[in-house]
Amino acid sequence: MIAEHPPLPQNISIAELPQMPLPRAVLVCPPDCFDVVDVKNPFMEGQQGHVDYALAKRQWLEVMRAFEQIGVEVRELPPAPGCEDMVFCANPIFAGLDSDDQRVCVLSHMRFPSRQPEVAAHARWYRENGYRVVEIPGGLFEGSGDALWHPGRRLIWGGYGHRTNREVYTRISRVFDTPVLTLELKTEMFYHLDTCFCPVDERTVLVYPPALTAEGFEMVRDVFPRVIEVEHQEAIQAMACNAAAFLGKYVVIPRGAPIAVRKLRELGFQVVEVDTSEFLKSGGSVFCMKMYLF
Ligand code: ARG
């Protein structure tokens, strides 16, 4: 379960892990070329030709407005022609800070060749914006679709099984000098970790347990004192776990998950709901429409 670099104590106590700043900015990419042209995940089945482009653009702007209202700085990467999935900025790279608080990112090896050109565009942007850009050899890896920072701590959660090979986390752990807890993704539907697991703050997570193994879910429960289990319907139809949390108190969540929203509000989070119906047709929503920047 654990890629041990540096080794984690058997009983993981979050409070003992070094702190890490929370992201205050995001990188996004306008959906100018967005479309569903093939089936890369079960959400895309039967959706070719069904995207309403004008609506997609309006929904994307609504997501941007939600980020800005919270006070998050929004940086933009221009879309590359022919890259229909490029709006999903979370996938071609995984960005963060190393243990000296230096900006660093690791390039993805996308499972589908049609998404590979996105990686070069991201690499360029990150290089120009002061990140050390690291390429790791071999193995599939889909960036922040599968690798997620534990909010506020030097710990990475690493999903694997569909778009990412588990072995890559040994290298990633080394690059960021941070332990990685790996979670196997059991179902076709929840193909990226960000489709079923959303760390909201240091102590709280939104999760859809059936997407994980029993041991994986156990580990999640060991680490997070507050586990919000998302209902089947909300996890699939609204992609409720593909939410983005900011500054330990805000959550931007796909509309259509009233139960998850109520639970988050009961815990004191300020929740903004946004309609992302057009992006759900491609199997993505709020979380993967941005990359957290540090
Ligand atoms: N159509 C895209 C794909 O299948 C969606 C990616 C969504 N990203 C995510 N992290 N869930 O690659």
Side-chain angles (χ1 to χ4, degrees), residues 40-41 44 85 88 91 115 145 163 191-192 194 282-283 288:
K40 302 186 185 81
N41 65 62
M44 301 174 91
D85 278 311
F88 301 114
N91 304 149
R115 293 205 64 185
R163 304 291 190 91
Y191 61 95
H192 271 148
D194 72 5
S282 187
C288 48

Side-chain angles (χ1 to χ4, degrees), residues 248-282:
K249 65 170 180 222
Y250 301 102
V251 184
V252 184
I253 195 169
R255 185 161 298 147
I259 302 170
V261 169
R262 179 174 48 74
K263 290 181 181 171
L264 285 164
R265 288 195 174 129
E266 278 166 10
L267 292 175
F269 291 102
Q270 295 191 34
V271 185
V272 186
E273 296 172 83
V274 286
D275 188 354
T276 59
S277 66
E278 298 317 288
F279 302 100
L280 293 179
K281 294 174 181 170
S282 187

Side-chain angles (χ1 to χ4, degrees), residues 34-36 38-41 44 84-85 88 90-91 110 112 115 118 142 144-146 163 191-195 239 242 279 281-285 287-289:
F34 174 64
D35 207 349
V36 174
D38 56 4
V39 179
K40 302 186 185 81
N41 65 62
M44 301 174 91
E84 77 275 5
D85 278 311
F88 301 114
N91 304 149
M110 310 293 290
F112 295 95
R115 293 205 64 185
E118 298 174 38
E142 291 211 352
S144 196
D146 275 323
R163 304 291 190 91
Y191 61 95
H192 271 148
L193 185 58
D194 72 5
T195 62
M239 247 192 167
N242 203 258
F279 302 100
K281 294 174 181 170
S282 187
S285 185
F287 184 90
C288 48
M289 287 159 77

Side-chain angles (χ1 to χ4, degrees), residues 47-99:
Q47 296 296 358
Q48 289 112 312
H50 290 292
V51 173
D52 178 334
Y53 305 118
L55 181 57
K57 184 76 199 210
R58 286 201 298 279
Q59 291 179 341
W60 185 82
L61 289 169
E62 192 192 334
V63 175
M64 299 307 117
R65 234 185 342 263
F67 292 161
E68 278 159 358
Q69 273 165 10
I70 286 168
V72 170
E73 184 196 348
V74 177
R75 316 268 321 257
E76 244 181 71
L77 174 70
C83 290
E84 77 275 5
D85 278 311
M86 199 160 166
V87 66
F88 301 114
C89 263
N91 304 149
I93 225 161
F94 174 58
L97 300 174
D98 66 19
S99 49

